[in-house]
Amino acid sequence: MKRIKHHVMQIAASPAVVFPLLCPVREADWIDGWSCEMLHSESGLAELGCVFKTNRAPENEAFWIMTRCDSPREAEYVRFVTGKMFVVLRFQLAATEYGTAMEVTYSFTGVTEAGNAFVETVVPQYIELALNHLEASLNHFVKTGQKLLR
């Protein structure tokens, strides 16, 4: 089963400010509860080919690789959720009068029965809430320098 979700965020900062925050290490600065284990990165931050691991509900263990890094316009990560699915997460940034229009595209593809069930039932329940929270968190951070707590 495959499910694609597009969402456009309006962020009150330029793409040059926003893009570096789309890094697995930097996300801990602005996403409440975010953590990752960097498995490979020459710089220690997001870069083409960096690999990291997360373990967060509702997906649990997941392995990520950055497959596109075109600063400050586009970033893409592919995530394998153990025993369930692949997720492609693409960010496309464009400067606006407001700051940045950031198109976020999630593509979920189940690779097992459990993964297909997850894509069919769990993803629709949490993806819109998660995207709205990420937008609010990122805007709060670029305006205040502080993490938005849940």
Side-chain angles (χ1 to χ4, degrees):
M1 159 144 236
K2 185 167 188 156
R3 182 177 301 273
I4 297 172
K5 173 67 178 167
H6 298 282
H7 183 89
V8 178
M9 297 181 182
Q10 300 299 325
I11 308 301
S14 71
V17 170
V18 174
F19 189 88
L21 298 173
L22 305 176
C23 163
V25 175
R26 294 290 316 276
E27 286 180 353
D29 294 341
W30 61 274
I31 300 174
D32 189 29
W34 173 263
S35 67
C36 75
E37 177 186 350
M38 186 64 77
L39 302 174
H40 171 75
S41 170
E42 296 293 321
S43 68
L45 298 172
E47 61 193 23
L48 188 62
C50 76
V51 177
F52 60 100
K53 180 174 118 174
T54 57
N55 197 339
R56 300 173 45 119
E59 295 174 348
N60 300 319
E61 184 178 73
F63 294 89
W64 304 61
I65 185 167
M66 187 173 208
T67 54
R68 185 160 178 84
C69 184
D70 183 12
S71 179
R73 294 183 298 270
E74 187 174 18
E76 181 181 83
Y77 293 93
V78 174
R79 165 168 96 228
F80 176 67
V81 181
T82 307
K84 291 182 183 167
M85 66 186 159
F86 280 94
V87 181
V88 178
L89 172 56
R90 175 175 284 173
F91 300 98
Q92 295 174 295
L93 293 77
T96 66
E97 289 179 32
Y98 179 74
T100 299
M102 184 166 69
E103 183 177 348
V104 181
T105 304
Y106 272 98
S107 177
F108 300 87
T109 305
V111 295
T112 62
E113 277 188 41
N116 287 332
F118 187 92
V119 171
E120 185 174 359
T121 61
V122 178
V123 168
Q125 295 174 15
Y126 89 93
I127 191 64
E128 194 70 36
L129 292 173
L131 286 165
N132 289 333
H133 181 70
L134 286 176
E135 183 174 9
S137 295
L138 189 50
N139 270 309
H140 182 79
F141 183 79
V142 298
K143 289 175 184 174
T144 69
Q146 301 294 315
K147 192 181 300 188
L148 179 64
L149 303 177
R150 288 186 188 237

